[in-house]
Amino acid sequence: MISETRAISYVSDFWASFPFGREITNVQRYQTFFLGEPFQLRKIITKIRCPAGIAHSNIVGSIRLVNDHKPLNSAIAGFVVDRHSVSSDWQNVSCSVHCDLSPGEYALVLGQGEPASNAAYEWGVGARREGLFFGSGNTPIIGATAIDYKDESEHGVGWMQLEGEGEGEIIDFTHSGTDGNGFGNYTDEVKRYQTFFTTDHCERITGIDLKIRKFNGIGQGDLTVELYTVAVDEFNPPRSQPNSPLASATIPSSSIGEDWTIVHAPLMANELMPYMMYAIVLGQRTPGPPRYEWAVRKMNDGSFFGKWNGSSWIAEPNLGDGWMKLWGHRKTTVFPVAQHGNVAHGFGNSEDEIKRFQVIDLAQNIGKALMGVDLRLKKYNGCSQTDITVQLYDVDSKELPIGAALGETVVPAYSIPNDWAIVHAPLWCRDLPSKVALVLSQREPHASRYEWATGAGIEEHRFGKWNGTEWVVEAGRGAAFARLWIEEPLSIIDLAHASLIGYSFGDPRDAYMRYQTIVPDGALQIKGVQLKLRKFFQSGQTDLMVWIYPLGQDGKPQSWPVASAVVESSLIGTDWTIVNVPISTGTLLGAFAVVVSQRNAIEPRYEWAVKEVNPAFNFGKRTGGDIRRWRDESGLGDGWVKIWAIRT
């Protein structure tokens, strides 16, 4: 992701002011703020005045961690504002401060160096916002160092602006609303949509977070996420293009609970126009009365929420906005192989069309890293298809696939519909050659198979099949639809090994979680993680959960995770499986831990392959649900892991 100058603003017309810098009550004032990504704070601006003209002493400010939305006593960073720079008139007071902040909740705290009963300051306060907390700090006697913080959020939000450097671009419609509106039914609430405007730096979307829950019983099908262009009219419904979204993704039903659940979908789209309106559309793979609800609350007057009732889009802006966060960045090169086409060529059969391949010329991207591929696919001839295997190969002098696969991943069968859909596969290759072959097959060849769309493409990009005996070039059929997501060269922190010994996790009694620490030799951004895992002890394991945690002074995971991901249980076998985890972070400045568990702690669990690789790194577990019960077990070795990252 790109580092850019950004501002976090709680700036609005203010209608009130509240004092700070007094001796007993209102010794301090605080305002909380939340970061969804790493942020390099460089300047703080507040709206301040001193009614007495000149205060008794300078303003002393600090940035602090919080507990229960109130400041802790120790400061992460501090600053001082000269008292002579503040007058009796309202003014924007700025101060330089250098502090690198991780994602999470913080508080800006303001006080006076020497509190005084009369010559105190006032902080301008504007409209209240849900999820932000404003309050005062008081002491029992004059000169006491212990501060008792009191929530006074009913007064509003303290006027402030934080400026600095942040990584990534986010379209943020998150809120604290607990009301929901349904989708996935047979009729009426068939689908739900939420529109949004792109910014000048969101040409590409790389993922979406959604706040969803199951509703009206059990048995819901998988949730579908689609991106559409938007028709220009009064309420901006999605442009009606049946079966032709710009991008799509699927969230397994098993990833969503009956309570509100924040889930992530790898929705990948490129070539979005700046300052244009698009729509996210949610549906259910198999509509029915057991369906889903999308958390809503009014957030943005320029966006629209509504539904598809089976025949038309219905705007319902009075309901609010659907909870979502879109992730995007512009450092990725998206390499298109073919234009949209509806000509279909099969693969996954037990004979003839067993595999399909597409040769791609990457002469301009030699040495860079492949992090994913978009494919336009559909099911064909029934509904008994198994998962798709996607592989990347080098090519020989005849431009046919050769050797061992350079990269491999799996696309779950449930994510492919009966009609054309663009799906994203996290296919990774660290060091791209000048030409590659993309090969698609079915895990279990069968007459119920798949089709790959072809269209007008680059003529020298060969397309063909594997018939069980040889690779066959099929000239004149165009090029298969594929978009490669290519990054600048990546570094890999490699704790891979050949050990077949494993230690379990996901157990409700003992190893609830497992962790592996990493101590990088510099700042980095994680782009993906690979793990060597297998299912252990019976069947019925739930989805794999993966987090990235910062480390505390004791060398164990602490605080909150900076990133998380879910991997469908069906993608992990009972034999050792290399699992691609599409997880990414902003810039990490120190040691961190890869933490794993399963969605529901049950007896059927997973094992992580373990052997000592680097004695400087630690391996361990967490027992039960108590986050304080992290236990070091470095004597067992290191968990098999590869960290794919960009050095920053």
Side-chain angles (χ1 to χ4, degrees), residues 261-294:
T261 309
I262 296 176
V263 292
H264 180 82
L267 186 70
M268 312 288 284
N270 74 306
E271 298 180 358
L272 274 65
M273 298 295 293
Y275 307 111
M276 295 289 289
M277 184 168 277
Y278 295 85
I280 296 297
V281 178
L282 304 186
Q284 184 175 192
R285 180 73 73 199
T286 307
R291 50 195 187 274
Y292 296 97
E293 282 192 329
W294 194 353

Side-chain angles (χ1 to χ4, degrees), residues 204-351:
R204 299 190 178 100
I205 293 173
T206 58
I208 183 172
D209 295 342
L210 299 162
K211 191 173 182 180
I212 306 293
R213 69 179 175 188
K214 289 177 177 174
F215 173 70
N216 197 33
I218 60 175
Q220 285 84 350
D222 296 326
L223 186 150
T224 60
V225 186
E226 298 172 311
L227 175 70
Y228 283 83
T229 55
V230 169
V232 180
D233 66 11
E234 183 180 3
F235 291 115
N236 303 294
R239 192 182 301 277
S240 185
Q241 296 179 347
N243 308 320
S244 298
L246 300 177
S248 64
T250 302
I251 300 174
S253 172
S254 59
S255 299
I256 304 168
E258 295 180 2
D259 296 325
W260 288 116
T261 309
I262 296 176
V263 292
H264 180 82
L267 186 70
M268 312 288 284
N270 74 306
E271 298 180 358
L272 274 65
M273 298 295 293
Y275 307 111
M276 295 289 289
M277 184 168 277
Y278 295 85
I280 296 297
V281 178
L282 304 186
Q284 184 175 192
R285 180 73 73 199
T286 307
R291 50 195 187 274
Y292 296 97
E293 282 192 329
W294 194 353
V296 297
R297 189 185 190 101
K298 191 61 184 174
M299 289 288 295
N300 192 325
D301 290 336
S303 61
F304 298 91
F305 183 74
K307 66 184 178 183
W308 171 259
N309 64 7
S311 59
S312 59
W313 298 103
I314 308 296
E316 297 177 309
N318 58 305
L319 297 179
D321 293 295
W323 193 109
M324 69 178 187
K325 182 183 288 186
L326 283 161
W327 297 84
H329 66 87
R330 58 183 176 185
K331 197 168 185 177
T332 303
T333 299
V334 179
F335 186 91
V337 177
Q339 301 172 358
H340 281 266
N342 290 319
V343 179
H345 296 285
F347 66 90
N349 203 354
S350 56
E351 57 182 7

Side-chain angles (χ1 to χ4, degrees), residues 386-403:
T386 58
D387 297 338
I388 295 174
T389 299
V390 183
Q391 297 171 303
L392 191 75
Y393 285 87
D394 206 340
V395 297
D396 61 17
S397 59
K398 296 180 180 179
E399 296 189 358
L400 298 175
I402 188 174

Side-chain angles (χ1 to χ4, degrees), residues 270-554:
N270 74 306
E271 298 180 358
L272 274 65
M273 298 295 293
Y275 307 111
M276 295 289 289
M277 184 168 277
Y278 295 85
I280 296 297
V281 178
L282 304 186
Q284 184 175 192
R285 180 73 73 199
T286 307
R291 50 195 187 274
Y292 296 97
E293 282 192 329
W294 194 353
V296 297
R297 189 185 190 101
K298 191 61 184 174
M299 289 288 295
N300 192 325
D301 290 336
S303 61
F304 298 91
F305 183 74
K307 66 184 178 183
W308 171 259
N309 64 7
S311 59
S312 59
W313 298 103
I314 308 296
E316 297 177 309
N318 58 305
L319 297 179
D321 293 295
W323 193 109
M324 69 178 187
K325 182 183 288 186
L326 283 161
W327 297 84
H329 66 87
R330 58 183 176 185
K331 197 168 185 177
T332 303
T333 299
V334 179
F335 186 91
V337 177
Q339 301 172 358
H340 281 266
N342 290 319
V343 179
H345 296 285
F347 66 90
N349 203 354
S350 56
E351 57 182 7
D352 191 34
E353 294 180 324
I354 299 174
K355 298 180 181 182
R356 281 281 168 194
F357 74 92
Q358 175 65 59
V359 174
I360 304 165
D361 188 339
L362 296 176
Q364 302 303 312
N365 294 282
I366 296 174
K368 294 184 179 181
L370 174 66
M371 294 302 295
V373 60
D374 295 340
L375 304 164
R376 193 159 188 255
L377 307 171
K378 70 176 180 178
K379 288 178 178 172
Y380 173 72
N381 194 33
C383 57
S384 301
Q385 289 85 351
T386 58
D387 297 338
I388 295 174
T389 299
V390 183
Q391 297 171 303
L392 191 75
Y393 285 87
D394 206 340
V395 297
D396 61 17
S397 59
K398 296 180 180 179
E399 296 189 358
L400 298 175
I402 188 174
L406 304 175
E408 181 173 332
T409 192
V410 173
V411 178
Y414 66 74
S415 66
I416 312 296
N418 294 323
D419 295 311
W420 290 117
I422 297 173
V423 297
H424 181 79
L427 181 65
W428 301 346
C429 177
R430 180 185 181 186
D431 191 3
L432 288 170
S434 60
K435 284 189 178 181
V436 295
L438 190 62
V439 178
L440 274 57
S441 59
Q442 186 172 193
R443 179 173 283 173
E444 299 177 13
H446 193 272
S448 293
R449 51 197 188 273
Y450 296 93
E451 290 187 324
W452 192 358
T454 61
I458 304 173
E459 291 184 2
E460 61 268 25
H461 287 181
R462 294 193 170 197
F463 178 72
K465 66 183 178 183
W466 171 259
N467 63 11
T469 305
E470 60 181 346
W471 296 105
V472 180
V473 176
E474 297 181 305
R477 297 199 174 189
F481 180 96
R483 288 196 300 241
L484 277 62
W485 293 72
I486 298 172
E487 298 273 6
E488 293 303 312
L490 297 184
S491 296
I492 294 182
I493 299 175
D494 192 346
L495 293 184
H497 50 74
S499 174
L500 301 180
I501 297 174
Y503 288 89
S504 66
F505 62 88
D507 189 319
R509 295 172 299 179
D510 182 28
Y512 173 55
M513 291 178 166
R514 285 276 176 194
Y515 70 89
Q516 175 63 54
T517 69
I518 303 292
V519 184
D521 57 4
L524 55 78
Q525 296 174 358
I526 295 176
K527 307 302 294 184
V529 170
Q530 289 181 302
L531 302 166
K532 189 175 180 180
L533 309 173
R534 69 178 176 186
K535 290 177 177 173
F536 173 71
F537 193 71
Q538 301 177 349
S539 61
Q541 287 82 353
T542 57
D543 294 339
L544 173 71
M545 310 293 291
V546 183
W547 300 271
I548 304 297
Y549 274 82
L551 296 188
Q553 293 182 350
D554 61 357

